[in-house]
Amino acid sequence: MCFVKRFLREGDAFRAGVEIKGATEIHVPGKSGVMLDTDMPVGETWSIDYPVMLNAQFLLAKVGDKWIRVGTRYKPLHFSNVFVKQLVDGFKIIWELRPWSGYSKPRVPKLLVDEFGTMDEAVEDYKSWMERAFKIRKKEENPNIPKWAFNTRLVLIVDMWASDGVILADYSDVIKLVEELEELGAPRDTILYLPGWSWRWDGRYPEYYPAKELGGPERFGEMVEVAREAGYKIMPSMNCLGLDYSLPAYRKLWRYQIVDRHGRKRGWPGTFPGAATLPFAYMRPCARAWRKYLLGNISKVVLEFALEAVYLDQTLVVIDDPKCNMELGLKRLIEELRAQIPGVLISGEGCHERIVGSVSFCQMHGSPWSMTSVGIPYEKDSLVFVKLFGDYAFFYGHISIPPSFPGRQVGLLAKSPYYNKFWNRWGYEYAQKYYDFRGAIKTIRINYRDFGLDEESRKVIQSLKLSGQ
């Protein structure tokens, strides 16, 4: 089975579909790797959008001992909704593709259906095209990944100043944590990722500077130096799109706020079912004035305190703004930042084929953030995502990973299906298994002021110490 099917124009979208008779599994290189199988009820339809959730332009169907790859190879920026319907005998795949609304004469896509002997053959064939199309280099050949990052075996999420004003840790607490880690023998090049380090979580973006309430610049500098001497890396959390509505800068830069194809302004809502942070506007990375303001703030704190790593939240976000090709804008933003802070690890959120060449040390959008197994029992694990991106990027746990203790995080959690199901010991173990299955760097959450270095975290660190001997 190998053929090409043309898309038909339907309004502002192109649409095509194909039935895969006899297929028993569909593997999806999105949501960190999902498999749909015959447990999916007949007649039910499942959907996913590209590129934020579906991270490459294909699905893989298992038919007996063969693998059928269905998808596109459409290099221009576009947005797709992909639908999978369970049939009595197999699956139907419907591909709905919308080119970026900034193109005046978009090229008509083609739906490609190809047959392979194994999953690995299908993935390797796609990787060869993906590397060329998006200029992606393997990790070992990527000069933008510092050598020390290849040795990182542990990431600690240290919650600091929460959105509702509660301080879960300050810079002095982190210094004590570093001393405990050193005493325990935590691996060198461990990363301490700090959300809420400069203000209440998600607030005052992008005015990034050590907070007086957490100890001020002098104590922050001492924290960085103590960690460096111990062989650990401090990685403050920042955001590549966010501008706090309350800052004077918003009144100067408001015209650069991202809008969607319908003209609606976009931003982080702050409150949504299950959690609450603080709201902020999404700004166009294509806008020179925004990049200058954002990168000036980031580079100032990085250079002043000789930081070795920074985290940029929402690097995977791509919105169809007719006045900004976000793929090119984000790549330029990261390129300019890298020129200002050479040698510093730039980490980001999530991964898709259009950004992995620029951000290659990524939080994995995995359980429970992807909502796998929350009311969708036929969503199962697949290694297709790791097979596709594992040569190009390192992965570690998402900021929403549950702790091993009954603590909280910098976002204010509310009672919800997510909270009730995952924010407990079972959720911690579920998430750890999820990430371990995908080979992610070990990631654990610390509420230092309330729980110290808890018993489970100590066990994890000691196991890493033993395995590294």
Side-chain angles (χ1 to χ4, degrees):
M1 181 186 293
C2 184
F3 61 88
V4 176
K5 192 165 185 177
R6 290 189 68 83
F7 281 75
L8 298 177
R9 189 73 180 253
E10 295 186 4
D12 61 354
F14 296 96
R15 189 178 176 92
V18 63
E19 291 187 8
I20 310 295
K21 296 290 187 182
T24 55
E25 298 174 2
I26 300 290
H27 291 256
V28 183
K31 299 171 84 171
S32 303
V34 170
M35 180 188 73
L36 310 174
D37 63 11
T38 52
D39 285 346
M40 183 176 175
V42 173
E44 184 147 327
T45 299
W46 178 93
S47 64
I48 192 168
D49 62 280
Y50 170 91
V52 175
M53 296 305 291
L54 175 62
N55 305 131
Q57 301 173 50
F58 71 88
L59 304 182
L60 278 179
K62 191 175 191 303
V63 184
D65 59 356
K66 297 178 181 179
W67 291 84
I68 308 300
R69 191 181 67 205
V70 179
T72 58
R73 292 187 179 186
Y74 197 75
K75 185 177 177 181
L77 178 60
H78 64 280
F79 304 84
S80 294
N81 294 106
V82 181
F83 304 89
V84 180
K85 184 176 182 178
Q86 174 75 67
L87 306 176
V88 173
D89 179 24
F91 293 88
K92 182 175 184 179
I93 297 171
I94 299 172
W95 215 280
E96 193 174 90
L97 184 151
R98 285 179 172 81
W100 172 50
S101 55
Y103 294 131
S104 58
K105 295 182 179 179
R107 180 164 55 86
V108 178
K110 298 176 182 178
L111 188 67
L112 308 175
V113 182
D114 296 293
E115 182 179 306
F116 298 89
T118 66
M119 175 190 284
D120 287 350
E121 287 178 13
V123 171
E124 289 299 319
D125 178 76
Y126 187 86
K127 283 166 65 176
S128 65
W129 172 81
M130 185 175 74
E131 287 180 7
R132 296 192 305 272
F134 303 112
K135 298 180 181 179
I136 302 170
R137 287 176 286 191
K138 291 182 169 59
K139 290 180 289 193
E140 294 77 12
E141 302 166 359
N142 189 340
N144 296 322
I145 304 176
K147 290 183 179 179
W148 63 261
F150 287 80
N151 303 321
T152 296
R153 299 167 58 214
L154 176 65
V155 174
L156 298 177
I157 301 175
V158 186
D159 292 291
M160 300 197 75
W161 198 356
S163 297
D164 58 347
V166 175
I167 293 177
L168 302 170
D170 61 17
Y171 308 140
S172 295
D173 293 322
V174 177
I175 290 173
K176 294 175 186 175
L177 170 60
V178 168
E179 292 169 348
E180 281 198 70
L181 292 172
E182 193 173 18
E183 188 177 318
L184 269 176
R188 287 185 64 85
D189 301 311
T190 288
I191 293 174
L192 280 71
Y193 165 57
L194 309 182
W197 67 278
S198 63
W199 192 255
R200 290 186 294 146
W201 174 238
D202 273 352
R204 294 189 65 81
Y205 290 168
E207 294 291 329
Y208 300 121
Y209 202 70
K212 178 183 65 176
E213 292 83 352
L214 301 181
E218 185 175 341
R219 199 61 168 160
F220 182 86
E222 183 182 351
M223 174 192 71
V224 173
E225 190 56 35
V226 168
R228 189 188 341 273
E229 290 176 358
Y232 308 138
K233 315 297 181 184
I234 296 294
M235 185 168 73
S237 186
M238 304 182 190
N239 191 293
C240 64
L241 302 177
L243 174 55
D244 191 318
Y245 293 108
S246 68
L247 291 177
Y250 181 73
R251 293 191 287 276
K252 296 179 181 179
L253 299 172
W254 63 268
R255 62 177 56 86
Y256 303 121
Q257 185 171 355
I258 292 170
V259 300
D260 62 22
R261 67 189 299 127
H262 304 292
R264 297 172 297 202
K265 292 183 177 182
R266 299 296 300 271
W268 182 252
T271 58
F272 50 95
T277 62
L278 295 172
F280 53 85
Y282 289 162
M283 306 303 291
R284 290 175 177 148
C286 308
R288 183 183 303 174
W290 164 246
R291 295 199 308 272
K292 181 179 179 181
Y293 172 52
L294 170 68
L295 301 186
N297 282 320
I298 294 175
S299 61
K300 177 184 177 182
V301 72
V302 170
L303 296 175
E304 180 175 341
F305 298 99
L307 294 168
E308 296 175 84
V310 294
Y311 171 79
L312 298 182
D313 206 21
Q314 299 186 304
T315 50
L316 85 165
V317 172
V318 187
I319 295 169
D320 188 2
D321 183 337
K323 293 186 178 181
C324 176
N325 181 317
M326 284 194 64
E327 176 189 355
L328 299 182
L330 280 169
K331 287 179 176 178
R332 184 168 183 176
L333 185 153
I334 293 165
E335 181 181 335
E336 291 178 359
L337 177 59
R338 194 161 269 131
Q340 294 182 28
I341 55 170
V344 173
L345 176 68
I346 298 177
S347 179
E349 180 188 20
C351 168
H352 55 70
E353 63 185 7
R354 295 178 177 273
I355 199 65
V356 69
S358 298
V359 181
S360 304
F361 200 95
C362 313
Q363 286 190 3
M364 180 177 270
H365 250 206
S367 174
W369 185 250
S370 70
M371 296 302 173
T372 300
S373 296
V374 182
I376 311 178
Y378 55 79
E379 274 194 13
K380 300 176 182 178
D381 288 331
S382 171
L383 285 174
V384 64
F385 176 91
V386 176
K387 289 176 180 287
L388 181 62
F389 292 111
D391 284 344
Y392 314 112
F394 293 99
F395 298 102
Y396 61 102
H398 191 268
I399 188 176
S400 290
I401 192 171
S404 63
F405 44 82
R408 54 165 297 177
Q409 58 147 313
V410 284
L412 179 62
L413 291 172
K415 299 298 181 181
S416 66
Y418 164 75
Y419 180 93
N420 295 338
K421 187 175 181 70
F422 282 110
W423 212 256
N424 50 43
R425 178 69 185 204
W426 179 88
Y428 164 80
E429 293 175 352
Y430 181 92
Q432 292 297 323
K433 289 177 183 177
Y434 185 99
Y435 285 119
D436 288 347
F437 175 74
R438 289 160 173 79
I441 296 169
K442 201 69 176 175
T443 306
I444 51 180
R445 168 167 245 116
I446 304 292
N447 274 186
Y448 193 76
R449 184 165 288 187
D450 290 339
F451 295 91
L453 197 56
D454 60 283
E455 182 180 353
E456 177 63 24
S457 297
R458 288 176 175 273
K459 288 180 181 178
V460 170
I461 292 167
Q462 288 168 346
S463 69
L464 289 172
K465 178 184 177 181
L466 292 173
S467 66
Q469 290 178 345

